[in-house]
């Protein structure tokens, strides 16, 4: 359990660029296909069962949700993409809103991209990676649901995803993860610490 991230609490939701909270500390956003387990990943990272809403019906999260941490840092839950059974005009509206957030948010340090390890690098995932490369915006890929595969299969998938990354893959990192069991949780905390410029990230780098 990481006491720092356990202190996360919901602060507000945003539906339009005008309703985004005022920029203060650093922010890290979580994105992913609606059935990737993104909300469960946030809950596991913060050692809380219901911080981010989870649903048996993927695509329910239609807002950008902000969770505050000490020193004014923020974790951000972006709407899941590619699965929600909603009219096309609403999907386009969400897409424009998310792009506006990612493009204009000066305090955004990085993007955690959650994928189902059994179905990684979907068309939607690849599109977001290309967009992040163009910005440029650092991305850390979490291959979630790794508990569903053997250790060998997990390692093979991580390697395959790394090989499939764009040429500018030096700003994209990859790891296996399980929101169910906590596999890979400490590596995720280290990446968050790095982006939030916390002292533990500096110590960890020195050790490695």
């Amino acid at each position: 359990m990481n006491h720092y991230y356990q202190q996360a609490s919901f602060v507000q939701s945003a539906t339009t660029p005008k309703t985004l909270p005022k920029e203060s500390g650093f922010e890290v956003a979580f994105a992913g296909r609606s059935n990737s387990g993104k909300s469960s990943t946030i809950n596991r990272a913060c050692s809380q069962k219901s911080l981010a809403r989870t649903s048996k019906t993927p695509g329910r999260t239609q807002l950008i949700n902000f969770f505050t941490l000490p020193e004014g840092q923020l974790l951000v839950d972006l709407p899941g993409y590619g699965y929600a059974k909603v009219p096309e005009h609403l999907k386009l509206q969400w897409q424009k809103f998310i792009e506006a957030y990612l493009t204009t948010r000066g305090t955004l340090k990085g993007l955690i991209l959650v994928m189902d390890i059994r179905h990684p690098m979907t068309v939607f995932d690849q599109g977001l990676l290309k967009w992040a490369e163009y910005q440029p915006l650092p991305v850390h890929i979490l291959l979630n649901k790794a508990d569903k595969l053997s250790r060998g299969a997990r390692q093979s998938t991580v390697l395959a995803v790394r090989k499939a990354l764009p040429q500018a893959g030096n700003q994209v990192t990859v790891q296996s993860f399980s929101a169910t069991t906590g596999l890979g949780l400490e590596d995720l905390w280290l990446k968050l610490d790095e982006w939030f410029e916390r002292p533990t990230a500096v110590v960890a780098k020195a050790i490695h």
Side-chain angles (χ1 to χ4, degrees):
M1 186 177 294
N2 188 307
H3 181 65
Y4 180 79
Y5 296 104
Q6 191 184 16
Q7 297 177 72
S9 62
F10 174 78
V11 60
Q12 76 174 76
S13 296
T15 54
T16 65
K18 291 183 178 179
T19 58
L20 292 170
K22 183 179 179 181
E23 295 185 27
S24 55
F26 296 132
E27 300 178 12
V28 173
F30 285 72
R33 192 173 168 87
S34 296
N35 56 350
S36 63
K38 175 172 55 65
S39 296
S40 297
T41 294
I42 295 173
N43 289 337
R44 170 63 73 169
C46 298
S47 304
Q48 299 186 40
K49 292 183 178 180
S50 56
L51 179 67
R53 289 185 178 183
T54 58
S55 173
K56 292 182 179 179
T57 305
R60 285 286 178 84
T61 303
Q62 303 171 16
L63 311 169
I64 294 183
N65 295 310
F66 293 81
F67 306 96
T68 186
L69 292 165
E71 293 96 40
Q73 319 282 45
L74 291 171
L75 293 175
V76 186
D77 186 9
L78 300 177
Y81 53 82
Y83 196 93
K85 296 179 180 179
V86 296
E88 194 64 29
H89 74 277
L90 276 181
K91 288 186 181 181
L92 292 174
Q93 183 177 322
W94 295 353
Q95 183 178 343
K96 289 181 180 178
F97 180 32
I98 293 171
E99 287 180 356
Y101 165 78
L102 293 173
T103 304
T104 62
R105 202 70 175 171
T107 48
L108 182 61
K109 294 285 287 187
L111 185 68
I112 302 290
L113 179 53
V114 184
M115 303 179 189
D116 186 329
I117 195 170
R118 299 166 298 178
H119 313 287
M121 299 295 283
T122 66
V123 172
F124 300 98
D125 296 326
Q126 293 178 51
L128 189 54
L129 284 168
K130 288 180 180 178
W131 181 91
E133 179 187 2
Y134 176 77
Q135 281 306 305
L137 180 68
V139 177
H140 185 61
I141 296 174
L142 284 186
L143 296 175
N144 191 28
K145 305 184 182 182
D147 56 292
K148 304 292 185 180
L149 300 180
S150 66
R151 183 176 179 181
R154 291 199 301 265
Q155 293 174 338
S156 296
T157 305
V158 169
L159 290 174
V161 169
R162 285 176 178 159
K163 289 181 179 179
L165 291 174
Q167 292 297 317
N170 59 332
Q171 70 167 9
V172 182
T173 48
V174 186
Q175 69 161 100
S176 56
F177 184 80
S178 172
T180 300
T181 66
L183 174 73
L185 182 56
E186 290 191 359
D187 290 331
L188 171 58
W189 283 336
L190 284 175
K191 176 56 67 174
L192 291 173
D193 285 347
E194 177 187 332
W195 283 345
F196 284 132
E197 298 183 6
R198 300 194 66 233
T200 49
V202 176
V203 172
K205 281 188 174 182
I207 294 175
H208 287 83

